[in-house]
Amino acid sequence: MARVSRGFHGRRRTDVDPSRLPPGQYVVEDFPVLSAGPTPQTPLDEWSFTIKGAVDTERTWSWEEFLALPSETFTVDIHCVTKWSKLGTTWTGVSVDELLADVETGAEYVSAYSDGGYTTNLPLEDVTDGQASVAYEFGGEPLEPEHGGPARLLVPHLYFWKSAKWLRGLTLLDRDEPGFWETLGYHNRGDPWKEQRYWSD
Amino acid sequence: MLTVRPETPHASNLVVDVPDWPGHLAGQHVDLRLTAEDGYQAERSYSIASAPEDGGHLALTVERLDDGEVSTYLTDEVRPGDTFELRGPIGGYFTWQAADGGPLVLLGGGSGLVPLAAMLRHRANAGAEVDTRLLVSARHWEDVLYRDELDAMASGGVDVRYTLTGSTPPGWDGWSRRVDADMLRELGPEPARRPRVFVCGPTPFVEHVANLLVAAGHEPQRVKTERFGPTGG
Amino acid sequence: MTPGDQHVDGNAIGGLLEEILVAEPTTAERICQSCHTRHPIGAHRGFRAAGVVLRCPSCGDLAVRVAELPGRLMVEFSGRWIFPQAD
């Protein structure tokens, strides 16, 4: 058991509606930057977004084509497995439903993949029905590279490692394929309300 | 925790007493972990400022960041008698011992001076006469750590230079610009003398200085770096 | 056990493994599995995310991935690691 450091409270907000905070989380005001690797430097004219894998035909959008897709702006709370939560974050992006609208697939899983080699896996049913999007604006501004720009996955109802930064596409899969952290002890689904942080949870 | 003493307007010196300290090398760091009553924890790394010869009375210099939850606690709240968890010493890579010899070139940006100060203090304690050159980069003169001690070292054979990138005091005769190739050439010694170089500071400072050194012909494996991450609070 | 199978229990190799696992890590060197360059661990690049990642300073490929799980660490090492032996 760790010893308490007298007078240490950390910089956390305590005036928070407890119903908005999953177990074990605390609220931050800033936006911590967590990265498993260097920030990629992909120029926008070389950027593309691809849906591939168990699909009838692959689909790819250039940056301009991607921006031309119907977008939506929404405000959500986000929860990081390292225990910080940030409430009321506003994003603009394209819903995954929109990206899969014309895709024929029998797949039940998705592997999101990013510049730099990061991957994270999700059941298809966690990224459809309005639950996930590919966001390129944060707070009305272009998403900064350190926070995953040009575009990141956003799956706010799961721990934030599922919301892959620097997203380049989704691979649809018939069988689940655990990703970068899911192969190293982190929970396969990562529901913050059930505190699914690790394999043992 | 033994003493807390302000060092500059933005940094404090802490002396902590570590029972059963196994000893450290100049340049090593410790991880310090704080725990709130509700179990919330925060951990940060701090370089050891004191020389190995000072044993388990470790001196740490903590730069106060206004939004830093750990640094504000350590500079404003902590008092003698408080205890916290500490892991270390850590990192045999970024270390120098008098027996390693020189020439020695130390380049510190901001509180990157801290582990270099441990090397200088060790050099003094060991009575080493190694050719040693120190370049301190800071924003303002009042931000420079250990000024009196560095003055004393300068008269004890260490070539101490400063560059101030923000404001300069009246009559300033040091440098007043970002570190550049000319500055490093003037600081010396030339790469052919194969100095051991230690660079410590914020990541952009270290990247910039290390690139200049390698471009000037220093052997990359003799240029050791220690970067402060983005979450130094 | 067939004739010619000379194995011992992993337990018997414990002394050597212990020497590796208590070694000072930052002065150990690593040869990258991707670009084959050799660098001290202390000169690699560290990143903190859900877990901790160490990458090759030349090519950025993975050197170590660490997850700090409750009461245990899960670690994946990559490449060849060189530990100096004490005299």
Side-chain angles (χ1 to χ4, degrees), chain C residues 15-16 18-20 22-24 27-28 82-87:
Chain C
L16 182 62
E18 187 178 282
E19 197 177 330
I20 295 166
V22 303
E24 151 62 42
T27 52
I82 303 157
F83 293 95
Q85 253 181 329
D87 296 330

Side-chain angles (χ1 to χ4, degrees), chain B residues 93 195 197 210 213-215 217-225, chain C residues 39-40 43:
Chain B
Y93 171 72
V197 188
L213 288 162
V214 172
H218 288 273
E219 296 165 52
Q221 64 272 25
R222 288 179 94 84
V223 178
K224 294 190 173 175
T225 57
Chain C
H39 297 282

Side-chain angles (χ1 to χ4, degrees), chain A:
Chain A
M1 189 59 211
R3 345 175 36 137
V4 170
S5 321
R6 183 203 55 79
F8 177 68
H9 309 292
R11 284 286 166 92
R12 293 160 298 156
R13 261 178 51 186
T14 47
D15 56 332
V16 177
D17 173 3
S19 70
R20 282 180 74 175
L21 205 55
Q25 298 292 110
Y26 60 90
V27 172
V28 296
E29 290 297 300
D30 58 346
F31 194 166
V33 175
L34 283 75
S35 300
T39 301
Q41 312 280 343
T42 307
L44 290 179
D45 58 8
E46 289 170 26
W47 186 94
S48 61
F49 191 88
T50 301
I51 303 275
K52 64 182 186 182
V55 292
D56 50 344
T57 47
E58 256 185 48
R59 300 210 179 19
T60 295
W61 293 266
S62 68
W63 179 247
E64 257 133 50
E65 291 165 342
F66 199 81
L67 289 190
L69 292 170
S71 69
E72 50 188 27
T73 297
F74 49 92
T75 298
V76 292
D77 301 340
I78 55 178
H79 311 292
C80 177
V81 71
T82 61
K83 301 194 172 178
W84 58 264
S85 291
K86 188 169 175 61
L87 305 183
T89 59
T90 299
W91 305 80
T92 298
V94 179
S95 80
V96 173
D97 295 318
E98 175 71 33
L99 297 168
L100 296 179
D102 303 324
V103 174
E104 293 286 331
T105 181
E108 291 181 29
Y109 300 95
V110 169
S111 173
Y113 65 93
S114 301
D115 272 331
Y118 184 80
T119 61
T120 185
N121 58 305
L122 301 123
L124 193 58
E125 62 181 25
D126 264 322
V127 296
T128 48
D129 291 332
Q131 296 180 93
S133 50
V134 179
Y136 50 77
E137 280 183 18
F138 172 71
E141 300 288 334
L143 181 58
E144 287 184 34
E146 65 174 11
H147 290 306
R152 77 180 296 163
L153 187 61
L154 200 68
V155 195
H157 71 289
L158 300 178
Y159 281 125
F160 212 44
W161 88 78
K162 295 286 186 182
S163 296
K165 292 160 85 163
W166 312 309
L167 190 69
R168 292 296 299 273
L170 302 174
T171 307
L172 278 75
L173 299 164
D174 297 326
R175 287 174 48 186
D176 197 11
E177 206 168 273
F180 190 91
W181 291 119
E182 293 85 355
T183 51
L184 200 74
Y186 284 86
H187 198 275
N188 205 45
R189 178 149 183 269
D191 180 345
W193 296 97
K194 296 179 180 161
E195 211 170 353
Q196 294 172 335
R197 297 181 198 274
Y198 312 111
W199 287 355
S200 52
D201 301 325

Side-chain angles (χ1 to χ4, degrees), chain B residues 145-153:
Chain B
L145 303 172
Y146 323 126
R147 286 194 310 205
D148 294 345
E149 196 178 348
L150 293 179
D151 281 350
M153 284 176 179

Side-chain angles (χ1 to χ4, degrees), chain B residues 25 91 106 164 185 232:
Chain B
L25 302 175
L106 309 175
L164 299 176
R185 197 175 310 117

